[in-house]
């Protein structure tokens, strides 16, 4: 085809009236939209309704009304044809958030040319009114159809419909558009039974700069919303949020109801976040295990456990329709047991102890004199088994290729088991994730952080009138942990001061709750017999560091050497020798691997009796900060801050290190001197 007959942007054939422009009307509209998103041509507001005209369209009657706009049945004066015309509600077309989202919806639809997505005909603005003209689909939305049925659709018909919707969403994802509000009400079904996805008012365009989503904003419809969206993490949503919603629609189609329902939207969101979904077969016995497995995989709480793409979901739905095996794991007895255990951890522990007691009673009673000792011995044996499993899972997690999976979760019931306490009830609990990073095995970090989490759970629960349970998430390095708090994958975190500064500079919404009151000191040290007596003596010598984000074992050491007139080029091998943790740096210097090292003084002080000697000691302005992710509920943030500042129990703080006996108030400004030192330390790496 001649290039004169093709759009210069998208390559589609040009209509007669488009050839003089060289681009099709859709691409022309996309250019206009980008201009408006950049801040120009923002129309004012006015009121319209049936009987009014918008542009070249006469509004006939209202079809639908929502927070993101009003949809009218309208007539095109030029052709006489009927269209669905969407317009912002009065007062919203003011260039604000509603206006910008409306323009993003238009841009999203202009990118999508698929029979399963409602077709855009025209977009523009009349005085005080932005509008979007779309094809008028004869029929009704899936939500109304399900309501009229009063129950599930015939399985094959329902699965075929959801599969077609998934194909359309796959197409949108391939073009960088995430819908974020897939629900039965946004799926129009025409008179021939063919579905079309509509209402991209909450869409996210992956390519380009579209600051339409505020961190912490809850976006979507509660009953069909992915847990990460329900937690207000819409800014970090990926295509797996749409996978969840497709699974929720599939659930509604095959059971006749949404996965989660409650009396209020807030209560529904709580269920989405914290409760396991009831198996579809419990509502509809005609659902087989394969179809149930597909549905439940979509509805996994953790995004990485869902289908990785809409294409994988489509393939499994097609396999089910052909009667072939599916890829989703079918819920056999073991998987059912796992789900039951997650819902009933306290009862599970009791049963395990009872079974162990019955199985081993003859042997164990020979050396355990009474029931209390028996219970303690069984608990210890069970704890050892759990700890072995945790170490195994930790080794597996560290070998994960995906950074988003390189962690180990230890939930509140498991920690209770390990310390010999009764497991807390989990039904209806609000779950939060607390992140830490360590190079050491999980038992070490559990012993450090675990005792502090117990009183924090209790105090925050009491203050909020909720049952709050904390899952401890352990990362193997600071990079993965920092990425997680920036993405919003974890709610709370204990970090090094420099890691906090780096994370806060990337996402200013991250805030400090409090800082440990223990003073953190670092030192530059050498072997006692090295003959090095000052920083000047490090010239031409090799030096080991902790890692490239350690406050005491990297940044402050470089800053002090810079002040003494040294540069990285003065060191043999530069400043790139990283050992991973503070004690390892000390051991490397002791063994002669490096001439000098920089690390936490708390780790090096015990080694001064074994052959190490300090050259310089320095200190951080504050102890380790405990921080909250951007967008965490304000009541939750303040409850944790108050609980931390009131924490004085030596049993809870003794293992936190650096002489910590509690927490002190802290704010971002308190770290400005360290922030400046970190910036200055960058000059250390520059050549002279």
């Amino acid at each position: 085809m001649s290039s004169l007959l093709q759009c210069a942007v998208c390559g589609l054939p040009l209509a007669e009236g488009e050839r003089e422009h060289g681009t099709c009307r859709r691409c022309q509209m996309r250019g206009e939209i980008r201009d408006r998103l950049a801040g120009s041509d923002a129309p004012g507001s006015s009121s319209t309704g049936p009987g009014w005209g918008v542009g070249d369209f006469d509004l006939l009657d209202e079809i639908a009304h929502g927070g993101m706009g009003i949809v009218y049945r309208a007539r095109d004066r030029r052709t006489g044809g009927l269209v669905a015309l969407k317009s912002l509600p009065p007062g919203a077309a003011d260039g604000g958030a509603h206006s910008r989202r409306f323009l993003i919806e238009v841009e999203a639809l202009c990118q999508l040319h698929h029979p399963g997505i409602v077709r855009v005909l025209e977009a523009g603005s009349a005085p005080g009114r932005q509008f979007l003209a779309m094809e008028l689909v004869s029929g009704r939305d899936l939500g109304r159809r399900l309501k009229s049925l009063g129950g599930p659709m015939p399985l094959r018909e329902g699965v075929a419909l959801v599969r077609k919707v998934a194909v359309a969403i796959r197409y949108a994802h391939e073009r960088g558009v995430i819908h974020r509000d897939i629900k039965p009400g946004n799926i129009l079904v025409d008179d021939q039974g063919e579905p079309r996805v509509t209402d991209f008012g909450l869409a996210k365009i992956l390519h380009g700069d579209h600051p339409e989503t505020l961190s912490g904003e809850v976006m979507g419809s509660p009953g069909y919303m992915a847990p990460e969206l329900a937690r207000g993490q819409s800014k970090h949503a990926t295509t797996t949020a749409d996978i969840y919603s497709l699974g929720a629609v599939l659930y509604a189609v095959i059971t006749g109801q949404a996965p989660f329902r409650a009396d209020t939207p807030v209560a529904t969101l709580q269920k989405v976040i914290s409760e396991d979904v009831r198996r579809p077969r419990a509502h509809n016995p005609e659902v087989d295990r394969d179809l149930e497995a597909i549905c439940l995989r979509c509805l996994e709480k953790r995004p990485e456990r869902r289908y990785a793409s809409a294409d994988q979901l489509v393939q499994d739905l097609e396999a089910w329709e052909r009667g072939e095996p599916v890829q989703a794991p079918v819920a056999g007895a073991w998987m059912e047991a796992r789900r039951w255990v997650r819902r009933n951890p306290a009862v599970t522990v009791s049963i395990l102890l009872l079974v162990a007691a019955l199985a081993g009673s003859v042997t164990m009673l020979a050396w355990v004199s009474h029931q209390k000792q028996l219970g303690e011995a069984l608990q210890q044996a069970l704890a050892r088994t759990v700890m072995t499993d945790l170490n195994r899972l930790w080794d597996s997690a560290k070998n994960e290729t995906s950074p988003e999976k390189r962690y180990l979760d230890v939930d509140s019931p498991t920690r209770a088991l390990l310390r010999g306490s009764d497991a807390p009830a989990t039904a209806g609990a609000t779950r939060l994730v607390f992140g830490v990073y360590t190079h050491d095995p999980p038992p070490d970090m559990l012993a450090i952080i675990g005792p502090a989490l117990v009183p924090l759970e209790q105090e925050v629960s009491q203050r909020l009138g909720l049952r709050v349970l904390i899952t401890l998430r352990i990362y193997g390095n600071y990079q993965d942990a920092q990425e997680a708090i920036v993405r919003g994958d974890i709610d709370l975190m204990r970090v090094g001061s420099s890691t906090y500064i780096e994370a806060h500079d990337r996402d200013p919404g991250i805030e400090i709750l409090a800082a440990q009151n223990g003073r953190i000191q670092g030192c530059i040290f050498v072997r006692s017999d090295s003959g090095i007596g000052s920083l000047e003596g490090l010239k031409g010598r090799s030096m080991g560091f902790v890692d490239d984000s350690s406050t005491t074992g990297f940044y402050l050491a470089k800053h002090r050497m810079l002040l003494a007139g040294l540069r990285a080029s003065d060191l043999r091998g530069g400043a790139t020798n990283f050992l991973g943790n503070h004690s390892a740096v000390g051991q490397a210097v002791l063994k002669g691997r490096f001439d000098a090292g920089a690390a936490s003084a708390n780790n090096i002080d015990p080694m001064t009796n074994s052959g190490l000697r300090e050259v310089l000691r320095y200190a951080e302005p504050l102890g380790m900060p405990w921080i909250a992710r951007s967008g965490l509920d304000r009541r939750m943030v303040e409850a944790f801050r108050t609980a931390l500042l009131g924490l004085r129990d030596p049993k809870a703080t003794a293992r936190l290190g650096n002489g910590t006996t509690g927490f002190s108030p802290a704010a971002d400004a308190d770290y400005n001197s360290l922030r400046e030192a970190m910036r200055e330390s960058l000059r250390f790496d520059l050549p002279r």
Side-chain angles (χ1 to χ4, degrees), residues 128-292:
R129 178 66 54 169
Q130 296 166 340
F131 67 87
L132 171 64
M134 301 168 286
E135 63 175 322
L136 182 65
V137 179
S138 59
R140 54 183 173 172
D141 66 62
L142 179 59
R144 293 181 181 178
R145 183 175 182 185
L146 290 173
K147 186 175 181 179
S148 67
L149 286 174
M153 293 176 62
L155 287 185
R156 289 205 164 272
E157 180 186 354
V159 170
L161 186 145
V162 174
R163 188 241 312 149
K164 292 174 182 177
V165 173
V167 169
I169 295 301
R170 176 181 65 186
Y171 172 88
H173 288 177
E174 289 170 349
R175 280 146 188 83
V177 177
I178 305 174
H179 191 286
R180 294 198 296 189
D181 195 20
I182 300 170
K183 60 181 179 180
N186 286 339
I187 299 170
L188 303 179
V189 183
D190 65 20
D191 293 335
Q192 287 72 47
E194 295 299 318
R196 287 180 178 80
V197 181
T198 187
D199 198 346
F200 282 72
L202 297 181
K204 177 179 180 180
I205 300 177
L206 296 177
H207 310 300
D209 183 17
H210 301 292
E212 79 286 0
T213 302
L214 298 176
S215 180
E217 193 173 15
V218 176
M219 305 181 69
S221 303
Y224 296 87
M225 187 189 304
E228 58 269 28
L229 298 184
R231 287 193 293 266
Q233 299 168 0
S234 51
K235 184 172 71 171
H236 306 292
T238 68
T239 54
T240 54
D242 280 354
I243 301 298
Y244 181 96
S245 296
L246 286 168
V249 171
L250 177 61
Y251 191 100
V253 162
I254 64 179
T255 68
Q257 62 186 54
F260 297 101
R261 296 185 300 175
D263 294 335
T264 66
V266 172
T268 303
L269 290 176
Q270 286 288 348
K271 287 190 173 187
V272 169
I273 292 170
S274 61
E275 293 188 11
D276 283 335
V277 67
R278 193 178 182 193
R279 295 187 301 108
R281 297 174 71 231
H283 296 292
N284 183 1
E286 294 184 11
V287 176
D288 61 40
R289 290 186 179 274
D290 281 351
L291 182 55
E292 181 177 77

Side-chain angles (χ1 to χ4, degrees), residues 595-611:
D595 299 312
S600 165
N602 292 340
N603 294 88
I604 302 305
D605 284 347
M607 299 185 187
T608 55
N609 295 326
S610 304

